[in-house]
Amino acid sequence: MSEYRTEHDSMGEVRVPAHAKWRAQTQRAVENFPVSGQRIERAHIRALAQVKGAAAKVNASLGVVDKEIAEAIASAAAEVAEGRWDEHFPVDVFQTGSGTSSNMNTNEVIATLASERLGDGREVHPNDHVNASQSSNDVFPSSIHIAATEAVTRDLIPALEHLEAALGRKSAEFAQVVKSGRTHLMDATPVTLGQEFGGYAAQVRYGVERLRASLPRLAELPLGGTAVGTGINTPPGFSAAVIAEVADATGLPLTEARDHFEAQGARDALVETSGQLRTVAVGLTKIANDLRWMASGPRTGLAEINLPDLQPGSSIMPGKVNPVIPEAVLMVAAQVQGNDVTVSVAGAAGNFELNVMLPVLAKNVLESVRLLANASRLLADRTVDGITANPERAREYAESSPSVVTPLNKYIGYEEAAKVAKKSLAERKTIRQVVLESGYVERGALTEQQLDEALDVLRMTRP
């Protein structure tokens, strides 16, 4: 049995692997783009198939495609959407900028599967049937927006809310754990560990708010604009009907583009969403770094908190344990920030009526969403939930910090308080000891009760 078969397209004949569900145009793309070995994301394949299935149903209702052929297309598209034929999507991410190769890959696989379903000798054509009333120029960007909308709403936002809840629980648990505040990495007035974790929870919560604010624009689809935004070769009512069909099938808040020329020539909503993803990544960087600092030690670091021990941390130093999950989160955050640079550059490649860096836009946005969702759940489940505090160590830092002199300003003045702080450091004495030895109480600057209240480190966290 031959390992290849011959397929043809408008440019002539092409040899295609015998087992392949794809046809000539996909094979040309495989041969033309041996760049990275990276294929488009699974979520993106699903979205392309969802568009094709919905388009087939609408085309049948509008009399554009025979009903039986349309049913076979819709059935095949559903299998592709489920992931049953992913191995037949071999085209590299770094391909033609419109995504035509991946659109045709989808058309060809579905056409082959649909032809097999008919089983009566009728051939389902990738362009005339599966791609009817469509163009790569509106289908491919629409599929990106569908996949990104689904990934943000179904994966990332729930993952971030899960992380926020974990941080919120720790905020409540650590509400009475007083510690030294730090600014410029230097001692500052006291805070509670609970206040810090509450701040982390708020960062994550605001990230969700930012993503939700971008969703209405991300969920706008250019579908129906076909080649340049005019809708040429599209029957009246097609775009609205297909978008409604996809929205109903997915449960996503998808809408038709308010302006098809903006939607065809620009990808600003993807750039905006990527910016929100970058902001979430920056927030996770701050949180992960703070956790690493507070858990540093166990003897020569801060050791204010303990992170769960997950695996040996050294191949040479017995007993060493490292903050592996926060480190993984930091790498994810770095990748997402790098992806955003690519998205920004690619988003600016909208020349006249089409952006010509669509596949790399899709790759980076969808990868960022996937990485952030996975990292957020890991951080919550394998680190935050297992954090314990070292309250005695934390209070010791708070009480020994020269910054606790600050509430004495109103009694002895800023300059005198500064002298007390410096003497405390120089003589390695507590602020209380220096104040008493310096005679401020005897001279009537304040009473011992006022001194005790002023140096109550927990009270300082709620002035």
Side-chain angles (χ1 to χ4, degrees), residues 339-458:
N339 286 355
D340 182 59
V341 173
T342 300
V343 170
S344 297
V345 173
N351 309 126
F352 299 106
E353 277 67 61
L354 185 68
N355 181 287
V356 291
M357 291 196 186
L358 294 175
V360 80
L361 273 166
K363 172 192 179 297
N364 283 277
V365 170
L366 293 174
E367 180 183 73
S368 290
V369 172
R370 175 167 50 81
L371 292 176
L372 286 173
N374 291 341
S376 295
R377 288 193 179 277
L378 277 177
L379 185 60
D381 296 341
R382 300 191 67 78
T383 294
V384 175
D385 278 347
I387 290 175
T388 58
N390 295 322
E392 296 81 10
R393 182 74 168 259
R395 177 176 280 272
E396 179 186 349
Y397 287 147
E399 291 179 342
S400 62
S401 168
S403 294
V404 300
V405 77
T406 302
L408 296 180
N409 289 357
K410 63 181 179 180
Y411 298 110
I412 64 176
Y414 180 93
E415 291 189 12
E416 288 297 312
K419 291 178 183 177
V420 170
K422 291 176 181 177
K423 187 174 182 181
S424 169
L425 280 174
E427 299 181 4
R428 300 183 68 85
K429 294 179 178 178
T430 67
I431 297 296
R432 179 183 172 81
Q433 284 177 299
V434 173
V435 170
L436 291 174
E437 291 174 2
S438 300
Y440 292 105
V441 173
E442 286 83 351
R443 293 198 298 271
L446 75 169
T447 65
E448 283 203 46
Q449 181 180 350
Q450 288 172 325
L451 178 60
D452 290 340
E453 291 175 352
L455 297 183
D456 183 343
V457 288
L458 184 58

Side-chain angles (χ1 to χ4, degrees), residues 204-261:
V204 176
R205 182 167 63 253
Y206 300 158
V208 171
E209 290 179 5
R210 292 183 179 97
L211 288 166
R212 290 193 191 281
S214 297
L215 276 175
R217 291 169 293 284
L218 181 64
E220 281 192 29
L221 307 185
L223 200 63
T226 62
V228 294
T230 60
I232 191 170
N233 280 4
T234 300
F238 173 82
S239 57
V242 174
I243 291 170
E245 181 73 31
V246 177
D248 183 63
T250 61
L252 298 172
L254 306 172
T255 59
E256 184 174 355
R258 289 167 288 175
D259 187 299
H260 276 276
F261 296 95

Side-chain angles (χ1 to χ4, degrees), residues 18-38:
H19 76 282
K21 299 299 181 183
W22 68 81
R23 301 185 187 181
Q25 290 198 43
T26 300
Q27 187 62 35
R28 291 188 193 279
V30 169
E31 295 168 6
N32 286 336
F33 307 115
V35 180
S36 69
Q38 300 177 66

Side-chain angles (χ1 to χ4, degrees), residues 50-297:
Q50 288 168 336
V51 171
K52 299 301 175 181
K57 294 177 183 178
V58 174
N59 276 325
S61 70
L62 296 175
V64 176
V65 175
D66 173 80
K67 184 179 179 182
E68 289 186 356
I69 290 177
E71 288 175 351
I73 291 171
S75 175
E79 287 191 2
V80 171
E82 290 169 5
R84 292 175 58 179
W85 302 100
D86 283 1
E87 65 184 288
H88 296 275
F89 287 79
V91 180
D92 201 278
V93 163
F94 297 94
Q95 55 175 279
T96 176
S98 61
T100 297
S101 297
S102 284
N103 182 49
M104 283 307 303
N105 187 180
T106 308
N107 290 333
E108 290 179 345
V109 170
I110 291 174
T112 298
L113 295 172
S115 297
E116 293 171 355
R117 275 158 181 68
L118 288 173
D120 55 8
R122 282 182 292 175
E123 189 72 18
V124 177
H125 196 279
N127 298 79
D128 296 339
H129 297 133
V130 184
N131 202 60
S133 310
Q134 305 154 64
S135 164
S136 299
N137 296 356
D138 65 340
V139 167
F140 196 79
S142 293
S143 67
I144 304 172
H145 284 249
I146 293 168
T149 299
E150 181 172 33
V152 167
T153 57
R154 304 274 167 79
D155 299 331
L156 181 53
I157 287 178
L160 290 173
E161 290 175 336
H162 182 67
L163 175 57
E164 181 206 343
L167 291 166
R169 288 192 295 272
K170 290 299 171 180
S171 177
E173 181 182 339
F174 300 148
Q176 300 300 313
V177 179
V178 65
K179 55 166 287 184
S180 178
R182 295 183 180 91
T183 57
H184 304 269
L185 290 182
M186 307 299 284
D187 296 351
T189 53
V191 297
T192 68
L193 193 56
Q195 287 170 329
E196 288 184 326
F197 273 79
Y200 305 150
Q203 275 188 279
V204 176
R205 182 167 63 253
Y206 300 158
V208 171
E209 290 179 5
R210 292 183 179 97
L211 288 166
R212 290 193 191 281
S214 297
L215 276 175
R217 291 169 293 284
L218 181 64
E220 281 192 29
L221 307 185
L223 200 63
T226 62
V228 294
T230 60
I232 191 170
N233 280 4
T234 300
F238 173 82
S239 57
V242 174
I243 291 170
E245 181 73 31
V246 177
D248 183 63
T250 61
L252 298 172
L254 306 172
T255 59
E256 184 174 355
R258 289 167 288 175
D259 187 299
H260 276 276
F261 296 95
E262 184 277 339
Q264 204 93 345
R267 296 270 62 82
D268 291 353
L270 289 176
V271 175
E272 176 188 5
T273 301
S274 181
Q276 308 293 30
L277 298 174
R278 182 197 66 231
T279 303
V280 170
V282 169
L284 291 181
T285 299
K286 187 265 194 294
I287 294 167
N289 272 329
D290 277 11
L291 295 180
R292 292 197 309 145
W293 274 109
M294 286 190 289
S296 60

Side-chain angles (χ1 to χ4, degrees), residues 285-337:
T285 299
K286 187 265 194 294
I287 294 167
N289 272 329
D290 277 11
L291 295 180
R292 292 197 309 145
W293 274 109
M294 286 190 289
S296 60
R299 294 294 178 85
T300 60
L302 296 179
E304 293 175 329
I305 62 172
N306 307 299
L307 304 184
D309 291 350
L310 298 178
Q311 62 186 61
S314 174
S315 61
I316 189 172
M317 292 177 281
K320 193 173 192 298
V321 179
N322 297 329
V324 292
I325 298 298
E327 288 171 352
V329 171
L330 289 171
M331 287 187 279
V332 164
Q335 183 66 57
V336 170
Q337 291 173 73

